[in-house]
Amino acid sequence: MSLWSRRRVLATSLLLHGSAMKGAQGSRFEQEAVKLTDELTGRTLDRLTDVKLLFHFPHYHHRFLTSNNRSLILGGEADGTRQIHYLDLRRNRTTQLTGGEGTFPYSATMDEDEKELFYLQGDGLNRSSLNGRGHHQVFRCPGGWRFTGHMSLSEGARMAAVVEVREDDYRNDPAAQIAARPQCRIRIVDLVSGKDRIAVTARAWLTHPQ
């Protein structure tokens, strides 16, 4: 496969090859790209994955496409739960990087060197290598609060900003959650020293700290 431009990657539908996929952490899947015509623009696209399963990019401001345009990070449901995956665009091969409950796939982001992955799962802020090995928790959300799934990584991967919502204010419905004006806060975590501090507290639904 030739190298893909960023425009081409971002225009491509990211839904996986359902007949072959029975995912688990570390599982790998290879599939052939299928050409199709976009109904709205008339452009020819390469569908990397099958419409039978849900796959998507992380949050828009995260680093999920490598600088050489050869691979990317995406979220999806290959095993029935929402997990984080690594897609090698040269081989058209997908590797499931996470497993278990509580993964926030939109939180996934690479460091600037494109060697490490940072993400939220359950009450943990985690880091691992991009090959899916060496997962470890660098910060744990304190009791009475929960992560919302929103986070950002600083230049050099020195700091992370994570958004927390008070447990009693949490709602499982997005519209109800915003209307409830929950108690939220943005916490800054020093990924080198392990120290942390509260930067912002508000009676409102906070998202996308940058």
Side-chain angles (χ1 to χ4, degrees):
M1 178 183 290
S2 60
L3 296 186
W4 289 41
S5 70
R6 287 176 178 265
R7 182 184 298 273
R8 187 181 181 194
V9 168
L10 295 174
T12 301
S13 174
L14 292 171
L15 304 163
L16 274 173
H17 203 285
S19 60
M21 298 202 68
K22 296 181 180 178
Q25 186 173 356
S27 296
R28 290 184 175 181
F29 316 95
E30 295 185 7
Q31 60 277 333
E32 295 183 3
V34 178
K35 291 191 178 297
L36 54 85
T37 301
D38 182 74
E39 296 179 357
L40 296 177
T41 65
R43 289 178 176 269
T44 299
L45 304 177
D46 292 89
R47 183 189 293 275
L48 301 184
T49 54
D50 194 337
V51 71
K52 295 178 183 178
L53 294 175
L54 172 65
F55 273 75
H56 58 79
F57 293 121
H59 282 138
Y60 68 91
H61 54 90
H62 287 193
R63 187 185 301 273
F64 55 84
L65 179 63
T66 56
S67 56
N68 60 13
N69 301 321
R70 293 181 176 179
S71 54
L72 58 84
I73 300 297
L74 65 159
E77 293 185 354
D79 69 350
T81 63
R82 198 72 66 91
Q83 301 297 338
I84 299 167
H85 298 74
Y86 177 87
L87 176 57
D88 184 331
L89 294 170
R90 294 173 298 174
R91 300 179 177 86
N92 213 20
R93 182 171 65 191
T94 302
T95 303
Q96 184 170 322
L97 299 180
T98 60
E101 297 296 326
T103 302
F104 293 96
Y106 286 101
S107 70
T109 187
M110 294 182 287
D111 67 346
E112 289 180 50
D113 294 332
E114 300 169 357
K115 295 180 179 180
E116 285 193 298
L117 173 72
F118 293 81
Y119 65 96
L120 300 172
Q121 183 172 19
D123 61 1
L125 166 59
N126 304 292
R127 72 192 302 170
S128 74
S129 63
L130 274 184
N131 61 15
R133 299 174 184 173
H135 294 259
H136 67 278
Q137 188 177 101
V138 295
F139 176 77
R140 183 174 182 178
C141 187
W145 295 79
R146 64 161 62 198
F147 289 133
T148 66
H150 293 273
M151 65 167 283
S152 289
L153 197 64
S154 73
E155 301 257 343
R158 172 64 189 262
M159 303 282 187
V162 294
V163 182
E164 302 167 357
V165 60
R166 192 168 62 184
E167 187 74 48
D168 292 343
D169 290 342
Y170 175 73
R171 305 288 185 274
N172 198 31
D173 177 79
Q177 181 67 93
I178 294 172
R181 296 181 60 82
Q183 187 72 36
C184 289
R185 61 190 187 187
I186 297 176
R187 185 187 298 273
I188 308 298
V189 180
D190 187 318
L191 299 173
V192 177
S193 69
K195 296 180 179 180
D196 64 276
R197 62 182 175 86
I198 301 299
V200 176
T201 300
R203 193 74 188 179
W205 182 245
L206 301 178
T207 61
H208 305 299
Q210 294 181 63

